[in-house]
């Protein structure tokens, strides 16, 4: 998606060779017009699929997931990073390892929001090592749902999550794939 690549080039900042900061349009301040275009692109790329629910993880996946849910006319459920005390009912949980924060945590979704037979689209802001996506897949499976696609805003192609998930047979649509980056340059896959 050229518009997104341009934005990453102009406003993204590689903090190292492995962590990209995009807090001016995606991760902190959010550009609704760009997210709207992102949702349109996801709809087009998955136009041959039929989903009835989107799963994402708080917090940065929520904006692209909600805009896509609005366009597709389907609900969005986000996994919570800490099980809140208000989540008194049954819930599904799965572990995530964050390489950017160097910590492990569980994510949780109330069982009532996953129905057996759901056809799930996962949306997230980044795909790096695939831990977040795999946690959402595990939660979907606990509820008897099936993940039919994974939509990623920015995939870091030099980390192994995309390869791993594609080898497992998942269809991933990444709107920008970065093959290499440094403090001075970001190289995208064509
Ligand atoms: P994964 O679980 O695939 O290793 O990493 C994906 C998650 O980690 C995303 O939900 C995202 O929030 C975070 N993440 C991974 N790499 C980056 C990065 O380079 N920059 C930012 N801002 N977040 C990242």
């Amino acid at each position: 998606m050229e518009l997104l690549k341009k934005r990453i080039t102009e406003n993204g900042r590689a903090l190292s060779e492995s962590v990209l900061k995009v807090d001016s349009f995606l991760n902190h301040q959010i550009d609704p017009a760009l997210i709207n275009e992102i949702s349109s692109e996801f709809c087009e790329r998955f136009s041959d699929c039929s989903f009835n629910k989107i799963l994402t993880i708080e917090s940065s996946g929520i904006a692209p997931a909600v805009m896509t849910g609005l366009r597709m006319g389907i609900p969005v459920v986000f996994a919570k990073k800490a099980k809140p005390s208000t989540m008194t009912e049954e819930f599904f949980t799965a572990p995530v390892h964050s390489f950017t924060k160097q910590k492990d945590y569980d994510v949780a979704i109330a069982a009532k929001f996953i129905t057996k037979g759901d056809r799930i689209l996962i949306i997230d802001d980044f795909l790096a090592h695939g831990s977040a996506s795999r946690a959402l897949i595990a939660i979907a499976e606990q509820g008897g749902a099936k993940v039919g696609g994974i939509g990623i805003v920015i995939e870091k192609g030099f980390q192994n999550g995309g390869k791993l998930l594609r080898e497992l047979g998942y269809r991933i649509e990444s709107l920008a794939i970065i093959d290499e980056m440094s403090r001075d340059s970001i190289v995208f896959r064509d």
Side-chain angles (χ1 to χ4, degrees):
M1 183 182 169
E2 291 312 315
L3 182 69
L4 174 64
K5 290 183 191 172
K6 185 169 180 285
R7 197 62 185 273
I8 295 169
T9 305
E10 286 172 359
N11 299 127
R13 197 158 63 85
L15 297 183
S16 65
E17 287 182 355
S18 60
V19 178
L20 180 68
K21 191 167 179 174
V22 284
D23 65 346
S24 64
F25 59 93
L26 184 62
N27 283 156
H28 194 11
Q29 175 169 258
I30 294 173
D31 179 346
L34 178 67
I35 305 290
N36 194 31
E37 292 300 321
I38 284 170
S39 70
S40 161
E41 185 78 19
F42 279 139
C43 285
E44 207 176 302
R45 291 192 186 205
F46 286 112
S47 58
D48 57 328
C49 301
S50 157
F51 301 112
N52 72 324
K53 197 168 286 175
I54 292 176
L55 293 193
T56 189
I57 293 197
E58 67 176 351
S59 55
S60 299
I62 296 177
V66 167
M67 286 274 207
T68 307
L70 180 65
R71 276 184 190 270
M72 291 186 174
I74 57 177
V76 176
V77 183
F78 67 88
K80 299 196 176 209
K81 285 185 177 165
K83 190 181 92 64
S85 54
T86 50
M87 203 185 265
T88 49
E89 65 276 80
E90 193 195 344
F91 60 89
F92 301 127
T93 182
V96 175
H97 177 75
S98 167
F99 285 88
T100 43
K101 296 188 179 122
Q102 280 305 329
K103 66 171 191 179
D104 293 293
Y105 55 91
D106 285 340
V107 291
I109 291 183
K112 65 183 175 192
F113 295 128
I114 311 271
T115 306
K116 195 170 182 297
D118 273 348
R119 300 175 313 280
I120 306 271
L121 170 62
I122 288 174
I123 297 270
D124 205 3
D125 59 338
F126 273 92
L127 174 60
H129 298 273
S131 183
S133 292
R134 273 180 290 142
L136 291 175
I137 291 168
I139 285 178
E141 284 173 351
Q142 287 171 52
K146 195 173 174 322
V147 173
I150 302 175
I152 298 293
V153 180
I154 304 171
E155 177 176 343
K156 292 186 289 181
F158 53 88
Q159 292 170 331
N160 67 352
K163 185 170 178 285
L164 252 159
L165 289 164
R166 288 183 180 97
E167 279 172 4
L168 288 171
Y170 290 99
R171 164 144 170 219
I172 305 177
E173 293 290 344
S174 298
L175 306 191
I177 302 181
I178 296 173
D179 270 335
E180 211 182 311
M181 64 184 192
S182 68
R183 284 172 201 267
D184 319 305
S185 79
I186 296 173
V187 181
F188 294 100
R189 195 169 297 177
D190 286 336

